[in-house]
Amino acid sequence: MNPTKFIIFISVLFLSRMQLTGQESAGNAHDFSLKDIHGKVVSLDQMLGKKLTVLVFWSTWEKDSGKFLSKFESDFRKYSDKGLSVIGVCSEEQNITDSKLQEIRDFVSVNKLSFYNLIDNNLQVFRLYDVEALPTTFLIDRYKKILFVLRGAPLVGTDRLFRTISAAFEPEEKKPEIRQITSESPEALRYSNFAELEFKRGKIDAAQKYAVQAIKLDSTFTQPLLLLARLSLEEKNYTELENNFRKLKKCPGDSNQVILLRYEYLIVQKKYNEAIEKLNSFISKNKNDSFSHALLGYAFGMEKNTGLSEQEFSIAAKLDSTDYRIPKLKAEVYNFNGKSKEANELLRRSRQLRKIAP
Amino acid sequence: MKYRFLVLLLVVFNHGYFAQDKEQTSCMSAKCHASMADVKYLHGPFAVKECNACHVPIKDQKHKFEEIKKPSDLCMNCHEPLQMKKVVHGPLKTGSCTACHSPHGSNQQFMLKKSQLSEMCMSCHKKEMFDRKNVHPPVMDGDCTVCHEPHSSDNEKLLVKAGNSLCYTCHTDFESGFANSKFIHKPASEKCTNCHDVHSSDFESMTLKETKELCYKCHAQIKQTVADAASKHSAVDEGKKCANCHSPHFSDVPKLLKKEPLDLCVSCHNDQLTTRNASLTNFSLLLQNNKDWHGPIQEKDCSGCHGVHGGKTDFRLLNKSYPNEFYTSYAKQKYELCFGCHQPTLAQDSITATLTNFRDGDKNLHFLHVNKRVKGRTCRACHETHASKREKHIREAVPFGKWQLPVNFEKNKDGGKCTPGCHAPKEYKRTLPHLD
């Protein structure tokens, strides 16, 4: 790819991202020239940032202006050398007297604003941009396309605005959606926790009963569904397991545990090489997940790669010495390799951890 | 190890060799201690009637034994010494294994002295801690070892795991919530026990104090706002109180709100509500039927005008003054709420070319309507504060006593016209001064 094409590609990527995150796209920014607070005339073209421009209309009479502008100042300091420009347009009133001008200068000085601050005498730019309330903020790209408009300083919109600015300079991976705590969920949560507790104690029937109760209250609750899937796996009821996997697909939230259960299922199906490949990739992103190391140790063990198997089990045990599943998996590997004495010792340890009487 | 092996050999050998004799002469077969063997779990030496493994007879004195000064020394003769971690359980530290374990046997696993583990623990630990209205299920179930190690631990309070990681072993959804949410309540993510009593509590969700008081412990400013409020928001005092609107742990919405502000407000204001002082609108219906929304509503933030913890004015939880009448004499301070975002000069400058589109030429019609010494029209005379069917959220009609006074506003490219109940039909044009 030649450099020009690459730049176009990156710009398109950037623009598409911005448009997605922006609340509103409102055409192109109008050109204007205004005097800054020291009387120097500047135009939009002169002030436009290489990557992104914030155009914020403000006034000293607006109650949150100081706080709001200070946030832009903080971003301006962080990203100005990466291509962020901030333009404050003071739309104080129609006729700015000398004493009013001094008041505005004082406001800028008290709030330590180092970005452009312009005086919109006669409210011409205010009218040009069809502003009705202050503050009003526009995000403009390097091609003067308006990407985002925010009226006032609302709670969510302000958060979205500043996240959009930082995302332009510090792209981060989108975090998964988290289930909202609704008024129904505490009851489901309670049953789910009972189910987990009973499962830990080895009281499988009780665990199953509570998990089903939790799902009745909240059909997209990952934790009890995951528990039922685990029980199906342990009972070798693979039809039910597949059914539970299907239900889990509809659940929101962190899915690492679901992913690992799928890999465990691969191992049960003796698809060791596929499991090793997937687990290695999983571990590269989740280094501190003890059970994934144990599963990898198991898969290596079944492939007769004793060295790597021991290594992975050792990492797993170091990361979590309380998980009963780790010694249980290791015991199965030892049994497979004819080390029944060591395997029995590990099974005893596993039972102890799960609080089942020997 | 060698020494323990020899003791074990001696016990087994002694038992096998003299078994028959012991049936008749041991402490258990005698009338005195026979009942001690009538339990489910017997201690090994006792089960094989080798009392002398622990009780050392004093030479030449019948039925007299050396005093057992430190039971643990005796226990460690056979049992592997426990690996002591940083925090050691009191009885173990003083060598009193028998504080919890019966040395001969008991009906409980591990020869514990009491049938319920919790009873066992509560024989030393204060019962009141576990006896309040809401009890943590593991405590309720008497299973203290779900959270505590009975012997020693590297964590304070003999906890199985340190800090919140212990809580996350059961409350797994909270671990993922804290890890993945945009906004985290710091005290909660740092230590669950900052807000919760882990054993029992008289309050819902096992909090240390009643919800509001618990929150106010840190959020003193909100406490002050609520106390000073001229109009009260019932959501603060009723139901789950602060937790009606805020998620106390984590959220994807700023201020740890359970939903985006407008959605949250409408989740209660979705019906005609009656309070002590007023009848409140069904906002769900209003917003659904009227698509031209006021700016703060477009931005989904009712807190732009309303004090969600309590209003500073006595009218509709408003944070700043706004006249509650159709007519009023003009004074800037009466419209503090509107002038928080809109130019105050909108009602003060009689001439403008830029302040507003509601002008006839450069004659400011906002000024004309509002800025009067007598019977100035308030904003509500023409505008709906929340939403209406017309642009600029202009009203269809305004309540004027018993009459729904029509506004009949029509907008055109260069101005508009009104045919209201207030005056004869009037038209305005921005480009040319219009004289009538």
Side-chain angles (χ1 to χ4, degrees):
Chain A
M1 192 182 278
N2 70 38
T4 322
K5 276 185 181 170
F6 179 70
I7 289 167
I8 292 169
F9 172 66
I10 292 293
S11 309
V12 167
L13 251 183
F14 171 67
L15 276 176
S16 60
R17 184 191 170 105
M18 293 299 294
Q19 279 165 341
L20 278 175
T21 47
Q23 198 169 17
E24 196 177 317
S25 177
N28 290 320
H30 300 281
D31 287 318
F32 64 85
S33 293
L34 282 176
K35 280 184 185 172
D36 71 8
I37 50 170
H38 306 295
K40 187 185 166 192
V41 178
V42 272
S43 69
L44 176 64
D45 284 329
Q46 283 173 285
M47 297 177 286
L48 208 60
K50 282 181 185 162
K51 197 166 186 181
L52 189 67
T53 301
V54 174
L55 176 66
V56 52
F57 290 83
W58 63 273
S59 68
T60 60
W61 49 259
E62 197 282 311
K63 62 183 165 80
D64 290 326
S65 272
K67 207 171 145 193
F68 196 63
L69 294 172
S70 297
K71 284 187 183 180
F72 287 122
E73 176 62 25
S74 156
D75 274 2
F76 179 65
R77 287 185 189 178
K78 248 196 271 178
Y79 306 124
S80 59
D81 54 353
K82 291 182 184 170
L84 177 73
S85 174
V86 180
I87 307 165
V89 177
C90 181
S91 303
E92 188 75 10
E93 51 192 42
Q94 291 196 91
N95 303 307
I96 309 285
T97 58
D98 286 347
S99 65
K100 190 48 105 177
L101 181 61
Q102 193 50 49
E103 231 177 83
I104 294 166
R105 283 180 185 149
D106 292 346
F107 183 90
V108 169
S109 159
V110 165
N111 287 289
K112 296 177 183 158
L113 308 177
S114 61
F115 51 79
Y116 289 108
N117 273 296
L118 317 175
I119 304 297
D120 187 14
N121 210 353
N122 293 324
L123 301 176
Q124 281 167 346
V125 183
F126 175 86
R127 173 59 40 206
L128 190 64
Y129 277 78
D130 203 18
V131 177
E132 284 184 348
L134 297 180
T136 290
T137 311
F138 297 83
L139 288 189
I140 301 166
D141 75 6
R142 56 190 293 205
Y143 305 107
K144 294 196 213 168
K145 187 174 171 60
I146 295 174
L147 307 166
F148 195 115
V149 184
L150 183 74
R151 281 153 295 202
L155 203 59
V156 176
T158 305
D159 176 63
R160 205 173 282 145
L161 169 75
F162 284 100
R163 279 177 193 269
T164 306
I165 295 172
S166 52
F169 298 97
E170 288 170 14
E172 57 171 353
E173 279 182 35
K174 192 175 178 283
K175 286 187 174 179
E177 287 295 312
I178 293 301
R179 52 184 291 107
Q180 242 169 14
I181 295 187
T182 62
S183 54
E184 294 79 32
S185 69
E187 196 62 10
L189 185 65
R190 195 165 73 90
Y191 280 115
S192 170
N193 288 335
F194 280 149
E196 296 277 341
L197 196 67
E198 296 297 359
F199 175 68
K200 218 171 140 193
R201 286 179 182 152
K203 294 179 183 171
I204 304 300
D205 288 347
Q208 204 154 17
K209 192 180 81 186
Y210 284 131
V212 169
Q213 194 65 32
I215 294 161
K216 264 188 200 168
L217 292 166
D218 185 347
S219 61
T220 58
F221 195 170
T222 310
Q223 219 50 40
L225 271 170
L226 188 67
L227 181 67
L228 288 183
R230 164 152 297 286
L231 290 176
S232 332
L233 184 70
E234 291 193 359
E235 286 164 5
K236 299 186 179 162
N237 184 347
Y238 301 129
T239 320
E240 188 57 31
L241 178 67
E242 294 282 355
N243 187 24
N244 285 321
F245 276 142
R246 269 193 295 278
K247 288 180 189 166
L248 278 163
K249 270 189 182 169
K250 293 174 190 163
C251 298
D254 189 7
S255 61
N256 272 3
Q257 291 182 64
V258 183
I259 293 169
L260 283 181
L261 195 68
R262 283 184 188 281
Y263 296 167
E264 208 176 335
Y265 185 39
L266 281 180
I267 286 172
V268 169
Q269 293 169 306
K270 300 196 175 166
K271 295 176 180 172
Y272 301 126
N273 283 327
E274 191 184 343
I276 289 171
E277 193 187 320
K278 290 193 167 169
L279 281 162
N280 269 323
S281 152
F282 179 87
I283 288 169
S284 67
K285 291 174 206 153
N286 303 276
K287 289 194 175 65
N288 292 328
D289 186 282
S290 57
F291 191 59
S292 56
H293 283 284
L295 281 178
L296 189 57
Y298 183 91
F300 277 135
M302 290 304 183
E303 284 287 295
K304 302 256 179 198
N305 194 338
T306 320
L308 284 176
S309 170
E310 284 291 336
Q311 185 186 314
E312 292 299 324
F313 275 121
S314 153
I315 297 171
K318 266 185 203 160
L319 286 170
D320 189 352
S321 58
T322 62
D323 188 344
Y324 78 94
R325 296 172 299 172
I326 298 172
K328 192 178 168 211
L329 281 176
K330 198 173 174 185
E332 284 179 33
V333 172
Y334 277 19
N335 257 333
F336 179 72
N337 292 326
K339 294 179 179 174
S340 52
K341 198 177 158 193
E342 289 91 338
N344 284 341
E345 179 57 30
L346 284 164
L347 281 176
R348 192 183 62 78
R349 168 93 185 121
S350 170
R351 279 197 296 267
Q352 265 182 0
L353 288 172
R354 199 170 165 177
K355 296 199 184 292
I356 295 178
Chain B
M1 184 64 202
K2 270 183 188 172
Y3 175 69
R4 278 199 294 275
F5 183 64
L6 278 175
V7 171
L8 191 67
L9 263 186
L10 268 173
V11 168
V12 173
F13 173 74
N14 202 13
H15 172 248
Y17 198 78
F18 296 106
Q20 200 180 353
D21 179 44
K22 280 177 189 300
E23 280 300 320
Q24 292 153 17
T25 59
S26 80
C27 317
M28 288 163 75
S29 63
K31 286 175 188 169
C32 314
H33 303 299
S35 63
M36 285 168 66
D38 193 19
V39 286
K40 197 172 167 188
Y41 298 93
L42 283 174
H43 190 200
F46 186 61
V48 297
K49 303 174 180 63
E50 190 48 62
C51 307
N52 290 359
C54 302
H55 300 284
V56 181
I58 298 173
K59 207 176 177 187
D60 300 333
Q61 291 191 42
K62 200 181 173 188
H63 216 248
K64 294 264 180 184
F65 302 90
E66 282 179 15
E67 189 190 352
I68 299 169
K69 285 183 181 159
K70 195 176 178 189
S72 63
D73 290 346
L74 206 57
C75 305
M76 299 311 162
N77 281 339
C78 298
H79 295 276
E80 285 279 350
L82 288 164
Q83 278 189 341
M84 295 300 184
K85 294 177 183 164
K86 278 184 212 160
V87 185
V88 181
H89 195 197
L92 184 60
K93 211 186 288 181
T94 56
S96 310
C97 305
T98 52
C100 303
H101 301 282
S102 171
H104 301 105
S106 83
N107 281 325
Q108 282 71 244
Q109 211 187 351
F110 308 121
M111 300 189 331
L112 289 175
K113 282 183 165 176
K114 302 260 171 126
S115 60
Q116 270 274 332
L117 185 58
S118 55
E119 270 182 47
M120 180 78 246
C121 305
M122 281 174 216
S123 55
C124 294
H125 297 278
K126 281 183 184 171
K127 205 177 173 185
E128 302 87 77
M129 276 170 71
F130 315 98
D131 217 15
R132 300 183 193 108
K133 196 171 149 194
N134 300 304
V135 185
H136 195 199
V139 177
M140 203 191 315
D141 212 36
D143 206 347
C144 307
T145 54
V146 170
C147 302
H148 298 281
E149 290 285 2
H151 296 115
S152 72
S153 160
D154 282 332
N155 310 310
E156 57 168 359
K157 313 237 181 239
L158 287 168
L159 291 175
V160 172
K161 286 186 183 181
N164 286 8
S165 61
L166 175 65
C167 308
Y168 298 154
T169 50
C170 295
H171 300 277
T172 46
D173 47 341
F174 281 78
E175 184 175 24
S176 91
F178 279 120
N180 297 312
S181 300
K182 283 184 192 164
F183 300 94
I184 306 292
H185 192 203
K186 210 174 163 206
S189 69
E190 281 172 358
K191 220 173 179 186
C192 304
T193 51
N194 280 333
C195 300
H196 297 282
D197 189 312
V198 288
H199 296 113
S200 72
S201 157
D202 284 330
F203 309 105
E204 256 187 71
S205 306
M206 297 191 50
T207 50
L208 294 172
K209 292 183 175 187
E210 181 273 330
T211 315
K212 231 165 68 172
E213 287 308 314
L214 183 72
C215 304
Y216 287 165
K217 206 175 130 194
C218 299
H219 300 279
Q221 211 182 336
I222 303 290
K223 183 180 183 179
Q224 201 56 49
T225 306
V226 173
D228 294 345
S231 47
K232 308 279 181 192
H233 190 195
S234 61
V236 177
D237 294 309
E238 291 172 8
K240 292 181 179 176
K241 296 169 185 172
C242 309
N244 282 327
C245 304
H246 299 278
S247 164
H249 302 103
F250 43 78
S251 165
D252 280 346
V253 185
K255 307 277 179 197
L256 291 170
L257 291 177
K258 284 181 170 177
K259 293 181 182 176
E260 291 208 13
L262 178 70
D263 299 336
L264 190 64
C265 301
V266 173
S267 66
C268 287
H269 293 270
N270 58 2
D271 205 349
Q272 190 91 32
L273 299 175
T274 310
T275 68
R276 271 166 295 182
N277 306 320
S279 175
L280 305 178
T281 309
N282 178 342
F283 279 94
S284 176
L285 207 61
L286 179 87
L287 299 179
Q288 207 178 316
N289 294 336
N290 296 280
K291 292 297 176 193
D292 194 81
W293 294 0
H294 187 201
I297 294 186
Q298 284 178 43
E299 297 295 348
K300 293 194 132 197
D301 194 351
C302 307
S303 72
C305 302
H306 300 281
V308 287
H309 297 113
K312 287 181 185 164
T313 71
D314 60 0
F315 180 53
R316 300 276 157 107
L317 290 178
L318 293 179
N319 268 334
K320 292 192 171 177
S321 53
Y322 174 65
N324 182 19
E325 302 114 13
F326 185 86
Y327 295 125
T328 187
S329 57
Y330 177 77
K332 188 182 166 190
Q333 61 272 23
K334 287 186 181 176
Y335 295 91
E336 269 185 332
L337 186 73
C338 311
F339 295 153
C341 297
H342 299 286
Q343 298 272 359
T345 47
L346 196 66
Q348 283 163 202
D349 292 358
S350 58
I351 300 296
T352 184
T354 50
L355 253 177
T356 177
N357 273 343
F358 188 41
R359 58 192 155 85
D360 197 26
D362 59 0
K363 192 172 168 190
N364 179 356
L365 299 177
H366 276 115
F367 173 86
L368 182 85
H369 281 80
V370 180
N371 200 329
K372 291 175 187 288
R373 288 176 71 183
V374 182
K375 284 198 166 185
R377 271 62 169 175
T378 56
C379 307
R380 67 158 46 76
C382 302
H383 297 280
E384 249 323 332
T385 40
H386 296 104
S388 84
K389 289 189 172 65
R390 291 175 188 270
E391 259 188 85
K392 311 280 177 191
H393 41 102
I394 301 277
R395 283 176 180 272
E396 295 280 306
V398 59
F400 186 71
K402 283 184 180 178
W403 183 34
Q404 285 294 317
L405 187 152
V407 176
N408 289 328
F409 170 69
E410 280 172 40
K411 195 183 162 191
N412 59 43
K413 214 175 170 186
D414 191 33
K417 69 172 182 180
C418 292
T419 317
C422 312
H423 51 69
K426 286 193 185 232
E427 207 172 334
Y428 65 93
K429 285 182 182 174
R430 284 186 287 273
T431 47
L432 290 168
H434 185 81
L435 305 169
D436 51 14

